[in-house]
Amino acid sequence: MSPKGRDILKSMVGAVEPARPDAQSAPPPHRPSGAVKAMNLSLGRLGEEAAAAKALRESLASGDKVLEIDPAAVEMSFIRDRIPVDQDPEFERLKQSIQESGQQVPILVRPDPEKAGHYQAAYGHRRLRAAAEIGVPIKAVVRKLTDEELILAQGQENGPRVDLSFIERALFARRMDEHGFNRDMIAQALATDKPETSRLLQVAQTIDPEIILAIGPAPKVGRPRWLAFAEKFREAGGQKKARAAIAAAAFQALESNGRFDAIWKALDEKSAPQRDEQTLRTQGGAQLASVTRSGKTFRITVKSAAFSEFLAQRLVGLAAEFEEENVGK
């Protein structure tokens, strides 16, 4: 966009200054070198400015106005789409961008259906959080939206961008399903087809939400590994192994992708067979033998010579009795 075009757009929207895009709208950082890096940065800025300008033009064309609102009066969407993380470099870059250049693209909110004078955000949650932490008003377009329209706006704003990981999209799909939205609505909100919607729900409905939240967004982990992870988690003892990995002291120090790998490794480990031990005694308390069961193994360790002779005399008869009872089974 030319400087002249930016000046015209700025005069149309007043408070909104499209000098730089929000870091939230930018794709994951790419760090080539030299002339390629300079060209990529220039093209990226042009594309982001065009996207911001398009969003503003559409808002103006529909009669929307950009207002400044106290962030404390804006609630998050009733369905969260992001998994919070302890350290988020992208969020810190977003805060710095807003501090230095102001908020470039307004968020979308609707009047809160239950609290007068309050709002619910459809999208722009990171911008909202950044404004709250900086202590500045949030620039927002206020529009009357139904629950369905809010979710569609929320999903479609995130869908074309590559900043929601597979598991965040899967958890978002599960939350929509739990709120009663049908598969068509979920697919539309996520801008995906029904088979992919089914895969997202398969993963999110197999793995406990608290396990997913403990791992975090895991941006480098795609659909194939999450599908395989869900299969491992479904196996006997999977949930127990995952929780044990999370409880390990080193787990919290790992970043999100590392946490996924730690639990994956734990799920891969073979469980030791359950051991069931029993001691046989006489009525007077004298020990005759100890019996141990582990998987398919059944072991009797005899402690009494008399009991050993007793068993030896009856083993042939026990085998015949077993065979008779199991004929035809």
Side-chain angles (χ1 to χ4, degrees):
M1 182 181 296
S2 66
K4 182 178 179 181
R6 286 198 295 271
D7 292 340
I8 293 172
L9 183 60
K10 181 177 179 180
S11 66
M12 291 173 66
V13 299
V16 182
E17 301 174 311
R20 286 180 52 191
D22 283 346
Q24 183 189 22
S25 301
H30 179 60
R31 296 182 176 84
S33 59
V36 175
K37 178 177 181 181
M39 182 176 69
N40 284 346
L41 289 174
S42 298
L43 291 174
R45 290 193 185 103
L46 287 173
E48 290 158 356
E49 287 179 358
K54 180 181 177 183
L56 292 174
R57 284 198 303 270
E58 290 175 350
S59 292
L60 290 169
S62 62
D64 292 325
K65 293 183 179 179
V66 179
L67 304 178
E68 291 192 345
I69 303 173
D70 181 355
V74 185
E75 302 289 337
M76 298 290 187
S77 168
F78 62 94
I79 299 182
R80 298 293 299 273
D81 53 9
R82 292 186 183 275
I83 299 176
V85 294
D86 298 332
Q87 296 181 352
D88 187 350
E90 290 299 323
F91 176 71
E92 294 305 318
R93 280 191 279 271
L94 171 63
K95 279 179 62 178
Q96 183 178 358
S97 173
I98 292 176
Q99 284 177 315
E100 294 176 354
S101 305
Q103 179 191 341
Q104 305 307 309
V105 181
I107 69 172
L108 177 64
V109 301
R110 72 171 179 178
D112 192 301
E114 297 179 357
K115 298 179 182 178
H118 285 70
Y119 304 89
Q120 285 182 342
Y123 58 71
H125 295 92
R126 282 151 61 95
R127 279 165 275 173
L128 173 61
R129 180 182 157 205
E133 292 190 9
I134 296 169
V136 297
I138 184 73
K139 295 169 185 175
V141 170
V142 181
R143 190 180 298 166
K144 290 184 178 180
L145 300 169
T146 64
D147 286 353
E148 290 79 8
E149 289 170 337
L150 184 143
I151 290 302
L152 283 176
Q154 180 179 353
Q156 291 173 358
E157 195 261 355
N158 283 322
R161 304 207 319 259
V162 198
D163 66 344
L164 279 189
S165 68
F166 175 85
I167 198 60
E168 285 179 308
R169 289 164 57 80
L171 196 56
F172 187 37
R174 172 174 175 154
R175 288 166 173 168
M176 282 189 279
D177 181 69
E178 290 172 345
H179 273 79
F181 293 105
N182 60 36
R183 293 293 177 95
D184 288 335
M185 176 64 70
I186 296 171
Q188 191 176 356
L190 290 169
T192 188
D193 56 22
K194 287 186 178 179
E196 179 66 4
T197 300
S198 295
R199 286 188 284 266
L200 290 165
L201 287 170
Q202 175 187 340
V203 170
Q205 291 174 344
T206 299
I207 308 168
D208 293 346
E210 54 267 33
I211 303 293
I212 294 174
L213 292 175
I215 293 172
K220 294 182 180 179
V221 182
R223 178 179 69 194
R225 292 194 74 199
W226 274 112
L227 286 169
F229 185 100
E231 288 298 319
K232 291 175 180 290
F233 187 84
R234 190 183 288 117
E235 294 173 1
Q239 185 179 99
K240 185 177 180 181
K241 291 178 183 178
R243 293 186 183 280
I246 291 171
F251 184 82
Q252 296 301 324
L254 299 171
E255 48 82 36
S256 184
N257 298 299
R259 292 181 179 187
F260 176 93
D261 291 337
I263 298 182
W264 175 279
K265 182 178 179 181
L267 294 176
D268 250 354
E269 292 177 355
K270 299 297 182 183
S271 299
Q274 295 292 321
R275 292 173 61 88
D276 180 20
E277 297 184 1
Q278 181 181 5
T279 300
L280 299 178
R281 298 180 181 275
T282 64
Q283 291 185 354
Q287 185 175 352
L288 297 176
S290 62
V291 180
T292 304
R293 297 186 184 207
S294 180
K296 296 181 178 180
T297 302
F298 183 84
R299 178 177 298 160
I300 300 177
T301 304
V302 179
K303 305 293 184 178
S304 163
F307 188 59
S308 175
E309 184 65 25
F310 175 83
L311 286 177
Q313 293 175 2
R314 284 165 173 73
L315 283 178
V316 175
L318 287 173
E321 184 179 339
F322 169 80
E323 186 176 6
E324 183 180 342
E325 290 184 359
N326 288 271
V327 170
K329 289 187 179 180

